[in-house]
Amino acid sequence: MNNFLRLWQTTTVRLTALFIVIFVVASVGLLAFMAYQSTIVIQRNQTRDIEREIRQIMRIEHERGVRATAVAVQALSNRPGQGIYYLGDDAGRMLVGNLSDFPSSVLAIEGVHTFDYDRGRAFSEEGEDEAEHFEGYALVQSVLLDSGLRLIVGRDIRERRGFAAIIFQGFFFGVIGIVVFSAVAGGLTARRVLRRIDSITDTSTKIMSGNLSERVPVTKRNDEFDRLANSLNDMLDRIEQLMQGLKDVTDNVAHDLKTPLTRLRNKSEAALRPGVSAKERQKALETTIEESDQLIRTFNALLMIARAEAGAPSGAFADVDISEVATDMAELYQPVVEDAGMTLETNIAADIHLRANRELIGQALVNLVENAVKYARTGKVTVGVRESNDRVLIEVTDEGPGIPEADRGEVTKRFVRLEKSRTETGSGLGLSLVSAVAQLHRGTLRLEDAEPGLRAIIDLPKSAKN
Ligand SMILES: Nc1ncnc2c1ncn2[C@@H]1O[C@H](COP(=O)(O)OP(=O)(O)OP(=O)(O)O)[C@@H](O)[C@H]1O
Ligand SMILES: [Mg+2]
C-alpha cells in the first residue's frame, strides 16, 4: 500500500493517469461517433432498398394487375436474405409472403414500423437449424395498394444492431487493453525512476553518515539521471577535495608551526635561567619578537591560501585594473629591490582589466617579487602584464639560478622549500598562495626557465566570471 502511494506520488504515474483519462474520453467519443455514423449509413441503404422494391411492386400492380403482383412478391420472398414481404387482403389474411405475424398497427397504418417477431416462422423454409425459434427485429414499410391489398416490405435489422454491438465490443476491449497496458507501463517507468532516485538518496545518506568517498552510481544509459549523478559526483569530488585541503592545512599547521613554537618557548626559558646577563636577555627577547613575527606571517599566509582555495565570496570580485595594481606594486617595491643591489623593470601594458580579487592578485605579485629578490640576489627583476588571446598574463622574471624542472611541481605545494634556500627566512607558502590565487581566478601558475633565471607566469582567462 505504501509502495503504491509512493508510485502514485511520482510525476510519471500521474501523467500516465491523466493521459489514460484523456485517451478513454477521446476513444469513447470516437466510438460513439463511428457507431452512429455506420448505423446511419446502413439504415439509409436499407430504407432505400425497401422503397425501391415497393415502387417496383406498385408499378407491376399498375401495369400488369394483382396476379402479377402476387407472383412478384412471392418471387421476392423466396429469395434468401433478410427481406420481409407480405401481401394480404383487407381482412388481414396473407396471400403471399414470408411473414404473416405482424402487430396489428403495421397492418392498419401506412408508414415505417419496427417490431420484434418470431424469426423462425419467417425463414424456416431456408432450413436454418438455429432458425427454429429465433427472435428477429424488423424494419418495415407498410402501404395500401390501389387494389386495396396491403403490401409490407421490410428487412430484418437484427444484424445491424449486432454489428453496432460488435464495433462497441471491439472498442471496449481495445480501450481496456490500452488502459491496462498504459497503467502497467506507467507503473514500471515510475518504479524505475523511483529506484534511481532511491539510489541517489542512499548515497547521500551514506555520505551524511560520514563516508565522503561514496559516489552516486552511474549507468551506461547516459540519461537524465546519469547527468544528474555525474554532476552530483563532480560536486562531491570538489567537496572531498576541499575537505582534504582543510585537513592538509590543519595537519601542516599542527606539524610546521609546532617546531618554531617549541623553539621559541625553549629560547625564552633559557633566557630566564639565572646567570644570564641583561644584554643576553635583551637579545633573546628581540629574537623572540622576530620569530613571532615570522609565525604571524605564516599564519596569515595559511589563512589567505585557505580562503583562496575555498573560493573567495563573489562579492570580493570586482573589475580590477591589473595594469594599475602591477604599477603600484612595482613602485612600492622599487626601493626594496634596489636595497638588495638589483634593478626593477616594468613592462606593463596599459588598461588591462579583469574581474578579480584585487587584494589577492596584489599579494600574489608581491610574493613573486619577494622570491625574485630573495633567490636571484643579482641582476634585474622584470614585472610584466600583457594580454594574449583572451588571457591576461602577469609575469615576474629574474636572472637568478631558477628552479630545476624536476622541482617546479613541488615548490607550489605548502611548506615546500628547496634545500639550497634553507638559509633564507621563509615558510614555503609564497608560491602556494600564488597558485591558489591563480586557480581561484580559473587560471594557472606556470614556472618557466628564463635562461638564466625564473619566469613565473600567472595565466588568467579574461572571461573569469565569478
Ligand atoms: N625566483 C626564484 N628563484 C629560485 N628559486 C625560487 C624562486 N622562487 C621560489 N624559489 C624556490 O621555491 C621555493 C618555494 O618558494 P615559496 O615562495 O613558496 O616559499 P619561500 O619563498 O621559501 O617562503 P615564503 O614565500 O613563504 O616566505 C623556495 O624556497 C625556493 O627554493
Ligand atoms: Mg616566497
Side-chain angles (χ1 to χ4, degrees), residues 367 371 374 430:
N367 285 7
N371 277 356
K374 238 192 314 187

Side-chain angles (χ1 to χ4, degrees), residues 215-235:
R215 289 295 176 269
V216 181
V218 181
T219 66
K220 286 201 179 78
R221 264 170 282 179
N222 202 20
D223 54 14
E224 65 275 29
F225 286 104
D226 286 329
R227 284 203 298 278
L228 175 66
N230 275 326
S231 82
L232 282 178
N233 287 344
D234 287 350
M235 184 182 79

